[in-house]
Each structure stands twice: as C-alpha cells, then as structure tokens.
Amino acid sequence: MPSKKSARLAALTVAAVCSAASTVVLTAPAHADSVRIHDIQGSTRISPSVGKQVTDVAGIVTGVRGYGSSKGFWIQDPQADDNPATSEAIFVYTDSAPKGVAVAVGDAVTVSGTVQEYVPGGAASGNQSITEITKPTFTVVSSGNALPAAVVISARSVPAAYAPSGDTAANGSVNGLTLRPKTYALDYYESLEHMNVRVADARVVTGTDGFNELWVTVKPRENANRRGGTVYGSYDSQNTGRLQIQSLGAAADFPKANVGDTLAGTTTGPLDYTQFGGYTLVASELGTLKSGGLKRETTQKQGRGELAVATYNVENLDPSDATFAEHASAIVNNLQSPDVVSLEEIQDNNGKTDDGTVAADRTMQKLIDAIVAAGGPAYQWRSIDPVNKADGGEPGGNIRQAFLFNPERVSFVDRPGGDATTAVGVTKAGGKAALTVSPGRIDPANAAWTNSRKPLAGEFVFRGRTVFVIANHFASKGGDQALHAQYQPPVRSSETQRHLQATAVNAFVKDILAVQKNADVVTLGDINDFEFSGTAKLLEDDGALWSAIKSLPKSERYSYVYQGNAQTLDQILISPSIRNSCDFEYDSVHVNSEFNDQISDHDPQVLRFRP
C-alpha cells in the first residue's frame, strides 16, 4: 500500500483532472512502458513489472469499490492471451472512494501508474499478495461497453490438489513458482486474480457472518455431510471447492444464509483476495437465496443410570450480554440439561471493562437463573477466579472455565485450598485416587499456560462412583498462517503452546491413573485443535485418553465452521475405563456453528456414559 502522503497526492491528481469533464486525456511519463494487463500479471504470483511505472493500460471496468480499506476499481482486458496462467485483470487502487471520478462499470479506460504487490494483512500475515496499479491517472475512452465474459468456476474447473509445495529456498513461499492452474486449486484461483468470474447454484457452507460474507462450495460432493457442510478431515484435504462471497451492493441486500442453503442462479463479480478468507468473489450479481431448511439439533436425554457431561463455549459471556435466555434454552432444550457442563469463555462481572474485577459470580448466577426460567434444573457452579489479565482472551474480560452441575443428579466434592496459583495434585484416599483440592487448577505456574486459560479439575460423585472432570480452553489458533497463505504448507505456529498444554494435561491424567488404573476421567473443552492434530495425539499419549468424537462417522466430526470448513475444535476425551466399557454415546449438537444467527461460534458436545 502506498504511503499516506503519496496516495493522497495521487487521489488529488485524479480528482482535479476528472472534475472538468467525463473524459480526459492524461500525459503519461516519457519513461513509462505501455503494456497489457496479462504482461503485468505474468505467470507467477509476483508481477514482473512490480515497482515500475506503466502507461495506457487498457481495460473494461468490471467493478467499483468505494468502501473498506482498499478503494478503487477493477479493469479487465477483453482480449486474452493464450496463456492460462496469466490473469487478464487488475485492481486500480485509488486510496479514496472514486465518487468524483468519472468511472463506472462498462467504461473502457486506459490507466497509468505504478505496479505494486499488496499483501492484505501485511507481510507478517504470510498471506499472498495481489497485483495493483497505484498512484493512478486514467482516461475514460468510452462507456456502456459489454463486460468480458465471466469465467465459470465449477467442480470441473477447480483441480483436486490444493497447492504446490513451497520453494524451500524461499522459506516455503510459492510466490516464485510458475502457476499451474490445471494442477493446483490455489494456482487456478491466482490465474483468475481480479477477473470477472461466476459460480452457479452454489451451496452455502458457512452461515452469513457479521461482515456480510459467506462461503460456498462449487464441489457439493467434496467431503460433504448430511447437513450441507464441507468437513475438514485432515491436513492433506483442503476442500478446494470453497470460495468466499462478498458483495459490491448494499449490505442490507446481502442474504442471511445458513449452511445447506443455495445461492440459486448465478453469482458474478471480480475475484479478489482478502486478508480473512483468501480468494473472494466480490459479487455485483448475487444469486437468489434458496433455503435448505437446516434445523438446530437436539440430543437424546440421558437415562437414569447415565451421566451426561457436556462442554459449551459461550463466547465471552458477561452480565451485559443479551444472550442468556438463548444459552439457557440451548442447555435445557437442545442439550437436555446435562448433569455436568464445562463452560468456556465465562467473563468476569463487568466483561471487557478493564478495572481489576475478576469475580464472575454475577455472570454465573444470571445464567443459572435463566436456565431455571427455561424450565431447567437449579444448577450449582464451581470455578476459580484467575489472576487479573493473566489468562488471555478479551482484555479486561478475564475469561475462565466453570462447572455447572445438577445437584439432584450429581454431587461435587469440595476440597478447599484451590486458587489461581495453587496446583492441584493427586493423592490416594481409601485405595482410590482423589484430588488434593477441588476445584483446582493444573500446574498453573507452568509456562505452557502463559497468557492462557489454566485447566480446571473437579471431583464429582454420581451414584456412588467418582468421576474426575477436567475443563480446558487451550491457546487459540491465532497467528497461524492461513490455508491460502503464500507459504505451503502453512506454518501452524500456535500449536507449539497447545502441545505443551496437552502434555501437561496428559501428565496429570496419568497421575490419576497411576493411583487408580480404572478411574473415570473426562477431559473436555475448547481444545482449539482438531481430533487428528498433534495436540490431540499428545492428549491421548500412551492411551491415557481418547477423543470420543472419533466414535462418530468422519462426516459428523465438527463443532465449528471456519472459512467453509466444518471442523473439530471442541472435544471430550475419556479414560480407558470409559472407552473400554463401550457403554457411552457421543453427540456434537449443532445449534450454532452453521447458522447466521448463532449465539456462539461453537457447537456444544455431550457425552453420556454409565460410570
């Protein structure tokens, strides 16, 4: 992106010359080179003209963007070359909304300016760059021209392989590699950068978000599940048919879609690349939303002799939120009032206000009251207040895990002494394992928990049988390179801390099992990693635990939908005594992640078993 000073001067130049007439002739610098768009784009991701001035670049305006941080317009050369690797379109960056500039869709223009590679999110993001012309001056040659025919993106056109391996000499970057659009999906999309493209009857694979964006797939059979989503099942399967959709139109006109809906008809516009999502169709024409009829799920009620344990990330819940009644309804009606609920992202009593408050009793009581009002049990709760601003999350919010439990069905074993900095241990009592404090935090001084939530361990009794429950909220995936990054395979830097966290929790579970081999241990929560990940493998190390979501068919293993991928972040892991009994049921209850009106971005998980 040009400096503010140079960009401002460029904008003033354009405004000045365009205020007098709708068509103007600008004199290009004598040293500039006249080139076609495909010459600028070249056959790699980086323009061979980067940093150079170009003059009289001809094209038809296919879209004008006057909002956001990247204002300007797209132009496309209707006379394509015979190289499928070279894009025929480019973005003209004007810095300010081109309101007073005489440019409209269908105008034939010539543009002069400087070629730049702009990285959405900055170089540190690892994202790919987009080729732009900056500091532009331009001439409108004619108006009302037909747009270049849109390239149809379909199941047949998008390759099955996702991306080439990056150049090891360039730290894994694919930037210098020649595009192979018939071999790799990322190369295919890059070869269409900024061009007018079209998808037809595309199935929606994420609910519309708060930024008026959604994701579709042009490959409806690719790792599809019964609810219309696209499941992310391994690092080697990237679901190449996913594509983000934004709109050039009014936000009010953007469809409120759920997973499984369809954008019927055609959706057409320039193919952009954005910081959050990568390749994005910026639609000037949106298909008509056709409902897939997706309904929220309800789990089975636990039997009298079954213990139901659930995990639910309630997304930064604090007393000022308006979602308590909806969360209560989900717990009572969709989760069927589990006996024990591990809650993640419970904030302190004044939420994000940063004034040293750490207590969350008002937050918990308001949720408990809402559950009673919804017809549920009068839950009790246990938690430990964190040290102020020591556990990450929203600054001032002091998120933590908390246990809800139904005292009519299960009792909590209170052992005093647990606080934010005291480590819970394991001892032997009556020949069986017991916690030294309950509730207690696992190894809170361990560097694994720096600026992250410490696990909360509690001892419960159900029908005379002790069950140890460990509530977790591991470090987020923030900072990882995106699937669409220029570095392939992308670096997952955040998993380093989760691996340390998983190792610490696994060690604690082994301490319990060393005292009592047949102890019932349930480790659950927002693990922030997949069931096939290294994090999960470390939690399961030596058979101490097993992720019970793997008891479901692969198409049903998800709790979160991100960039068109339905994936597992929330897990319930069980000790050998529970797994080997084969007397358990697991349910990922889809009430949030697939819907545009979600109250949390996570789906709760429920385990029913007989201790």
Coordinates of all heavy atoms in Angstrom, one line a residue, residues 429-496:
A429 N -6.9 -42.0 48.6 CA -7.8 -42.0 49.7 C -8.7 -43.2 49.7 O -9.4 -43.4 48.7 CB -8.7 -40.7 49.8
G430 N -8.6 -44.1 50.7 CA -9.4 -45.3 50.7 C -9.0 -46.2 49.5 O -9.9 -46.9 49.0
G431 N -7.8 -46.2 49.1 CA -7.3 -47.0 48.0 C -7.7 -46.5 46.6 O -7.4 -47.2 45.6
K432 N -8.2 -45.3 46.5 CA -8.6 -44.7 45.2 C -8.0 -43.3 45.1 O -7.6 -42.7 46.0 CB -10.2 -44.7 45.1 CG -10.8 -46.0 45.1 CD -12.3 -45.9 44.9 CE -13.0 -47.3 44.8 NZ -14.4 -47.2 44.6
A433 N -8.0 -42.9 43.8 CA -7.5 -41.5 43.5 C -8.4 -40.5 44.1 O -9.6 -40.6 44.1 CB -7.3 -41.4 42.0
A434 N -7.8 -39.4 44.5 CA -8.5 -38.2 44.9 C -7.7 -37.0 44.6 O -6.5 -37.0 44.6 CB -8.8 -38.3 46.4
L435 N -8.4 -35.8 44.4 CA -7.7 -34.6 44.2 C -7.3 -33.9 45.5 O -8.1 -34.0 46.5 CB -8.6 -33.6 43.4 CG -9.1 -34.1 42.0 CD1 -9.9 -33.0 41.3 CD2 -7.9 -34.5 41.1
T436 N -6.2 -33.2 45.5 CA -5.8 -32.6 46.8 C -6.6 -31.3 47.1 O -6.8 -31.0 48.2 CB -4.3 -32.2 46.7 OG1 -4.1 -31.4 45.5 CG2 -3.4 -33.4 46.6
V437 N -7.1 -30.7 46.0 CA -8.0 -29.6 46.1 C -9.1 -29.7 45.0 O -8.8 -30.3 44.0 CB -7.3 -28.2 45.9 CG1 -6.4 -27.9 47.1 CG2 -6.6 -28.1 44.6
S438 N -10.3 -29.3 45.3 CA -11.4 -29.5 44.3 C -12.4 -28.4 44.6 O -13.0 -28.3 45.6 CB -12.0 -30.9 44.5 OG -13.1 -31.0 43.6
P439 N -12.5 -27.4 43.6 CA -11.9 -27.4 42.3 C -10.4 -27.0 42.4 O -10.0 -26.3 43.4 CB -12.7 -26.4 41.5 CG -13.2 -25.4 42.6 CD -13.5 -26.3 43.7
G440 N -9.6 -27.3 41.4 CA -8.2 -26.9 41.4 C -7.7 -26.7 40.0 O -8.3 -27.2 39.1
R441 N -6.6 -26.0 39.9 CA -6.0 -25.7 38.6 C -4.8 -26.6 38.4 O -4.0 -26.7 39.3 CB -5.7 -24.2 38.4 CG -6.9 -23.3 38.7 CD -6.5 -21.9 38.5 NE -7.0 -21.3 37.2 CZ -6.6 -20.2 36.8 NH1 -5.7 -19.4 37.4 NH2 -7.0 -19.7 35.6
I442 N -4.6 -27.1 37.2 CA -3.5 -27.9 36.8 C -2.2 -27.1 36.6 O -2.2 -26.3 35.6 CB -3.8 -28.8 35.6 CG1 -5.0 -29.8 36.0 CG2 -2.6 -29.6 35.2 CD1 -5.4 -30.7 34.9
D443 N -1.2 -27.3 37.4 CA 0.1 -26.7 37.1 C 0.1 -25.3 36.6 O 0.7 -25.0 35.6 CB 0.8 -27.6 36.1 CG 2.3 -27.5 36.2 OD1 2.8 -26.8 37.1 OD2 3.0 -28.0 35.3
P444 N -0.6 -24.4 37.4 CA -0.8 -23.0 36.8 C 0.5 -22.2 36.6 O 0.5 -21.3 35.8 CB -1.6 -22.3 37.9 CG -1.4 -23.1 39.1 CD -1.2 -24.5 38.7
A445 N 1.6 -22.6 37.3 CA 2.9 -21.9 37.1 C 3.7 -22.4 35.8 O 4.7 -21.8 35.5 CB 3.8 -22.1 38.3
N446 N 3.2 -23.4 35.2 CA 3.8 -24.0 34.0 C 3.8 -22.9 32.9 O 2.7 -22.3 32.6 CB 3.1 -25.3 33.6 CG 3.9 -26.0 32.5 OD1 4.5 -25.5 31.6 ND2 3.7 -27.3 32.6
A447 N 4.9 -22.7 32.2 CA 5.0 -21.8 31.1 C 4.0 -22.1 30.0 O 3.7 -21.3 29.2 CB 6.4 -21.7 30.6
A448 N 3.5 -23.4 30.0 CA 2.5 -23.7 28.9 C 1.3 -22.9 29.0 O 0.5 -22.7 28.0 CB 2.2 -25.2 29.1
W449 N 1.0 -22.4 30.2 CA -0.3 -21.6 30.4 C -0.1 -20.1 30.4 O -1.0 -19.3 30.8 CB -0.9 -22.0 31.7 CG -1.0 -23.5 31.9 CD1 -0.3 -24.3 32.8 CD2 -1.8 -24.4 31.1 NE1 -0.6 -25.6 32.6 CE2 -1.5 -25.7 31.6 CE3 -2.7 -24.3 30.0 CZ2 -2.1 -26.9 31.0 CZ3 -3.2 -25.4 29.5 CH2 -3.0 -26.7 30.0
T450 N 1.1 -19.6 29.9 CA 1.3 -18.2 29.9 C 0.3 -17.5 29.0 O 0.1 -17.9 27.9 CB 2.7 -17.9 29.3 OG1 3.7 -18.5 30.2 CG2 3.0 -16.4 29.2
N451 N -0.4 -16.5 29.6 CA -1.4 -15.8 28.9 C -2.5 -16.7 28.3 O -3.0 -16.4 27.2 CB -0.8 -14.9 27.8 CG -1.7 -13.8 27.3 OD1 -2.4 -13.2 28.2 ND2 -1.7 -13.5 26.0
S452 N -2.8 -17.8 29.0 CA -3.8 -18.7 28.5 C -4.5 -19.3 29.7 O -4.1 -19.2 30.9 CB -3.1 -19.9 27.7 OG -4.0 -20.7 27.2
R453 N -5.7 -19.9 29.4 CA -6.5 -20.4 30.5 C -5.9 -21.7 31.1 O -5.5 -22.6 30.4 CB -7.9 -20.7 29.9 CG -8.8 -19.6 29.7 CD -8.4 -18.7 28.5 NE -8.2 -19.4 27.3 CZ -7.8 -18.8 26.1 NH1 -7.5 -17.6 26.1 NH2 -7.6 -19.6 25.0
K454 N -6.0 -21.7 32.4 CA -5.4 -22.9 33.1 C -6.6 -23.9 33.3 O -7.7 -23.6 33.6 CB -4.9 -22.5 34.5 CG -3.6 -21.8 34.5 CD -3.7 -20.4 34.0 CE -2.4 -19.6 34.1 NZ -2.4 -18.3 33.3
P455 N -6.3 -25.2 33.1 CA -7.3 -26.2 33.2 C -7.9 -26.3 34.6 O -7.2 -26.1 35.6 CB -6.6 -27.5 32.9 CG -5.4 -27.1 32.2 CD -5.0 -25.8 32.7
L456 N -9.2 -26.5 34.7 CA -9.9 -26.6 36.0 C -10.3 -28.0 36.2 O -11.0 -28.7 35.4 CB -11.2 -25.7 35.9 CG -12.1 -25.7 37.2 CD1 -11.3 -24.9 38.2 CD2 -13.4 -25.0 36.8
A457 N -9.8 -28.6 37.3 CA -10.1 -30.0 37.7 C -11.1 -30.0 38.8 O -11.0 -29.3 39.8 CB -8.9 -30.7 38.0
G458 N -12.1 -31.0 38.7 CA -13.1 -31.1 39.8 C -13.4 -32.6 40.0 O -13.3 -33.4 39.1
E459 N -13.8 -32.9 41.2 CA -14.1 -34.3 41.5 C -15.7 -34.4 41.8 O -16.2 -33.6 42.6 CB -13.4 -34.7 42.8 CG -13.4 -36.2 43.1 CD -12.4 -36.5 44.3 OE1 -11.4 -35.9 44.4 OE2 -12.8 -37.4 45.1
F460 N -16.3 -35.2 41.0 CA -17.8 -35.4 41.1 C -18.1 -36.8 41.6 O -17.3 -37.8 41.4 CB -18.4 -35.1 39.8 CG -18.3 -33.7 39.3 CD1 -17.1 -33.3 38.6 CD2 -19.3 -32.8 39.5 CE1 -17.0 -32.0 38.1 CE2 -19.2 -31.5 39.0 CZ -18.0 -31.1 38.4
V461 N -19.3 -37.0 42.1 CA -19.8 -38.3 42.5 C -21.2 -38.5 41.9 O -22.1 -37.7 42.1 CB -19.8 -38.5 44.0 CG1 -20.5 -39.9 44.4 CG2 -18.5 -38.4 44.7
F462 N -21.3 -39.6 41.1 CA -22.6 -40.0 40.5 C -22.9 -41.4 40.9 O -22.1 -42.3 40.6 CB -22.5 -39.8 39.0 CG -23.7 -40.3 38.2 CD1 -24.9 -39.5 38.3 CD2 -23.7 -41.4 37.5 CE1 -26.0 -39.9 37.6 CE2 -24.8 -41.8 36.8 CZ -26.0 -41.0 36.8
R463 N -24.0 -41.6 41.6 CA -24.5 -42.9 42.0 C -23.4 -43.7 42.7 O -23.1 -44.9 42.5 CB -25.0 -43.7 40.8 CG -26.2 -43.0 40.2 CD -26.6 -43.7 38.9 NE -27.2 -45.0 39.1 CZ -28.5 -45.3 39.3 NH1 -29.4 -44.3 39.4 NH2 -28.8 -46.6 39.5
G464 N -22.6 -42.9 43.6 CA -21.6 -43.6 44.4 C -20.2 -43.7 43.7 O -19.3 -44.2 44.3
R465 N -20.1 -43.3 42.4 CA -18.9 -43.5 41.6 C -18.2 -42.2 41.4 O -18.9 -41.2 41.0 CB -19.2 -44.2 40.3 CG -18.1 -44.3 39.3 CD -17.4 -45.6 39.5 NE -16.3 -45.8 38.5 CZ -15.5 -46.8 38.4 NH1 -15.7 -47.9 39.2 NH2 -14.6 -46.9 37.5
T466 N -16.9 -42.1 41.7 CA -16.2 -40.8 41.5 C -15.8 -40.6 40.0 O -15.4 -41.6 39.3 CB -14.9 -40.8 42.3 OG1 -15.3 -40.8 43.7 CG2 -14.1 -39.6 42.0
V467 N -16.1 -39.4 39.5 CA -15.7 -39.1 38.1 C -14.9 -37.8 38.2 O -15.3 -36.8 38.8 CB -16.9 -38.9 37.2 CG1 -16.5 -38.5 35.8 CG2 -17.8 -40.1 37.2
F468 N -13.7 -37.8 37.6 CA -12.8 -36.6 37.6 C -13.1 -35.9 36.2 O -13.1 -36.5 35.2 CB -11.3 -37.0 37.6 CG -11.0 -37.8 38.9 CD1 -10.9 -39.1 39.0 CD2 -10.7 -37.0 40.1 CE1 -10.6 -39.8 40.1 CE2 -10.4 -37.7 41.3 CZ -10.3 -39.1 41.3
V469 N -13.4 -34.6 36.3 CA -13.6 -33.9 35.1 C -12.6 -32.7 35.1 O -12.4 -32.0 36.0 CB -15.1 -33.3 35.2 CG1 -15.4 -32.5 33.9 CG2 -16.1 -34.4 35.3
I470 N -12.0 -32.6 33.9 CA -11.0 -31.5 33.7 C -11.5 -30.6 32.5 O -11.7 -31.1 31.4 CB -9.6 -32.1 33.3 CG1 -9.2 -33.1 34.4 CG2 -8.6 -31.0 33.1 CD1 -8.0 -33.9 34.0
A471 N -11.8 -29.4 32.9 CA -12.3 -28.4 31.9 C -11.1 -27.6 31.3 O -10.3 -27.1 32.1 CB -13.3 -27.4 32.6
N472 N -11.1 -27.5 30.0 CA -9.9 -26.9 29.3 C -10.4 -25.8 28.3 O -11.5 -25.9 27.7 CB -9.2 -28.0 28.5 CG -8.7 -29.1 29.4 OD1 -7.6 -29.0 30.0 ND2 -9.4 -30.2 29.5
H473 N -9.5 -24.9 28.1 CA -9.6 -23.9 27.0 C -8.2 -23.6 26.5 O -7.5 -22.7 27.1 CB -10.4 -22.7 27.4 CG -10.6 -21.7 26.3 ND1 -11.3 -20.5 26.4 CD2 -10.4 -21.8 24.9 CE1 -11.4 -19.9 25.3 NE2 -10.9 -20.7 24.3
F474 N -7.7 -24.4 25.6 CA -6.3 -24.3 25.1 C -6.1 -23.0 24.3 O -7.0 -22.3 23.9 CB -5.9 -25.5 24.3 CG -5.6 -26.7 25.1 CD1 -5.9 -26.8 26.4 CD2 -5.1 -27.8 24.5 CE1 -5.6 -27.9 27.2 CE2 -4.8 -29.0 25.2 CZ -5.0 -29.1 26.5
A475 N -4.8 -22.7 24.1 CA -4.5 -21.5 23.4 C -5.1 -21.5 22.0 O -5.2 -22.5 21.3 CB -2.9 -21.4 23.3
S476 N -5.5 -20.3 21.5 CA -6.2 -20.1 20.2 C -5.2 -20.4 19.1 O -4.0 -20.5 19.2 CB -6.8 -18.8 20.1 OG -5.8 -17.8 19.7
K477 N -5.8 -20.5 17.9 CA -5.0 -20.7 16.7 C -4.6 -19.4 16.0 O -4.0 -19.4 14.9 CB -5.8 -21.5 15.7 CG -6.2 -22.9 16.2 CD -7.0 -23.7 15.2 CE -6.2 -24.2 14.0 NZ -5.1 -25.2 14.4
G478 N -4.8 -18.3 16.7 CA -4.4 -17.0 16.2 C -2.9 -17.0 16.0 O -2.1 -17.4 16.8
G479 N -2.5 -16.4 14.8 CA -1.1 -16.3 14.4 C -0.7 -17.4 13.4 O 0.4 -17.3 12.8
D480 N -1.5 -18.4 13.3 CA -1.2 -19.5 12.3 C -1.3 -18.9 10.9 O -2.2 -18.0 10.6 CB -2.1 -20.6 12.4 CG -1.8 -21.5 13.6 OD1 -0.9 -21.2 14.4 OD2 -2.6 -22.5 13.8
Q481 N -0.5 -19.3 10.0 CA -0.7 -18.9 8.6 C -1.9 -19.6 8.0 O -2.3 -20.7 8.4 CB 0.6 -19.3 7.8 CG 1.8 -18.5 8.1 CD 3.1 -19.1 7.5 OE1 3.1 -20.1 6.8 NE2 4.2 -18.3 7.6
A482 N -2.6 -18.9 7.1 CA -3.9 -19.3 6.6 C -3.6 -20.5 5.6 O -2.5 -20.6 5.0 CB -4.6 -18.2 5.9
L483 N -4.7 -21.3 5.4 CA -4.6 -22.3 4.4 C -4.2 -21.8 3.0 O -3.6 -22.4 2.2 CB -5.9 -23.1 4.3 CG -6.4 -23.8 5.5 CD1 -7.7 -24.6 5.3 CD2 -5.3 -24.8 6.0
H484 N -4.6 -20.5 2.8 CA -4.4 -19.9 1.4 C -3.1 -19.1 1.4 O -2.9 -18.3 0.5 CB -5.6 -19.0 1.1 CG -6.0 -18.0 2.1 ND1 -5.3 -16.9 2.4 CD2 -7.0 -18.1 3.0 CE1 -5.8 -16.2 3.4 NE2 -6.9 -16.9 3.8
A485 N -2.3 -19.2 2.4 CA -1.1 -18.4 2.6 C -0.1 -18.7 1.4 O -0.2 -19.7 0.7 CB -0.3 -18.7 3.9
Q486 N 0.9 -17.7 1.2 CA 1.9 -17.9 0.2 C 2.9 -19.0 0.6 O 3.6 -19.5 -0.2 CB 2.7 -16.6 0.0 CG 3.5 -16.1 1.2 CD 4.6 -15.1 0.8 OE1 5.5 -15.5 0.1 NE2 4.4 -13.9 1.2
Y487 N 2.9 -19.4 1.9 CA 3.8 -20.4 2.4 C 3.0 -21.8 2.4 O 1.9 -21.9 3.1 CB 4.3 -20.1 3.8 CG 5.1 -18.8 3.8 CD1 4.5 -17.6 4.3 CD2 6.4 -18.7 3.3 CE1 5.2 -16.4 4.2 CE2 7.1 -17.6 3.2 CZ 6.5 -16.4 3.7 OH 7.2 -15.2 3.7
Q488 N 3.5 -22.7 1.7 CA 2.8 -24.0 1.6 C 3.8 -25.2 1.9 O 4.8 -25.2 1.3 CB 2.2 -24.2 0.2 CG 1.1 -23.2 0.0 CD -0.1 -23.4 0.8 OE1 -0.4 -24.6 1.3 NE2 -0.9 -22.4 1.1
P489 N 3.5 -26.1 2.9 CA 2.3 -26.0 3.7 C 2.4 -24.8 4.7 O 3.5 -24.5 5.1 CB 2.2 -27.3 4.4 CG 3.7 -27.8 4.4 CD 4.3 -27.3 3.1
P490 N 1.3 -24.3 5.1 CA 1.3 -23.1 6.1 C 1.9 -23.5 7.4 O 1.7 -24.7 7.9 CB -0.1 -22.7 6.2 CG -0.9 -23.9 5.7 CD -0.1 -24.6 4.8
V491 N 2.5 -22.6 8.1 CA 3.1 -22.8 9.4 C 2.0 -22.7 10.5 O 1.3 -21.6 10.5 CB 4.3 -21.9 9.7 CG1 4.8 -22.1 11.1 CG2 5.4 -22.1 8.7
R492 N 1.9 -23.6 11.4 CA 0.9 -23.6 12.5 C 1.7 -23.2 13.8 O 1.8 -24.1 14.6 CB 0.2 -24.9 12.6 CG -0.6 -25.3 11.3 CD -1.4 -26.6 11.5 NE -0.5 -27.7 11.8 CZ 0.0 -28.5 10.9 NH1 -0.2 -28.3 9.6 NH2 0.8 -29.6 11.2
S493 N 2.1 -22.0 13.9 CA 3.0 -21.6 15.0 C 2.3 -21.7 16.3 O 2.9 -22.0 17.4 CB 3.5 -20.2 14.8 OG 2.4 -19.3 14.7
S494 N 1.0 -21.5 16.4 CA 0.2 -21.5 17.7 C 0.2 -22.9 18.3 O 0.0 -23.0 19.5 CB -1.2 -21.0 17.5 OG -2.0 -22.0 16.8
E495 N 0.4 -24.0 17.5 CA 0.3 -25.3 18.1 C 1.4 -25.6 19.1 O 1.3 -26.6 19.9 CB 0.1 -26.4 17.0 CG 1.4 -26.6 16.3 CD 1.2 -27.7 15.2 OE1 0.0 -28.1 14.9 OE2 2.2 -28.1 14.6
T496 N 2.5 -24.9 19.0 CA 3.6 -25.1 19.9 C 3.1 -25.0 21.4 O 3.4 -25.9 22.2 CB 4.7 -24.1 19.7 OG1 5.2 -24.3 18.3 CG2 5.9 -24.3 20.6

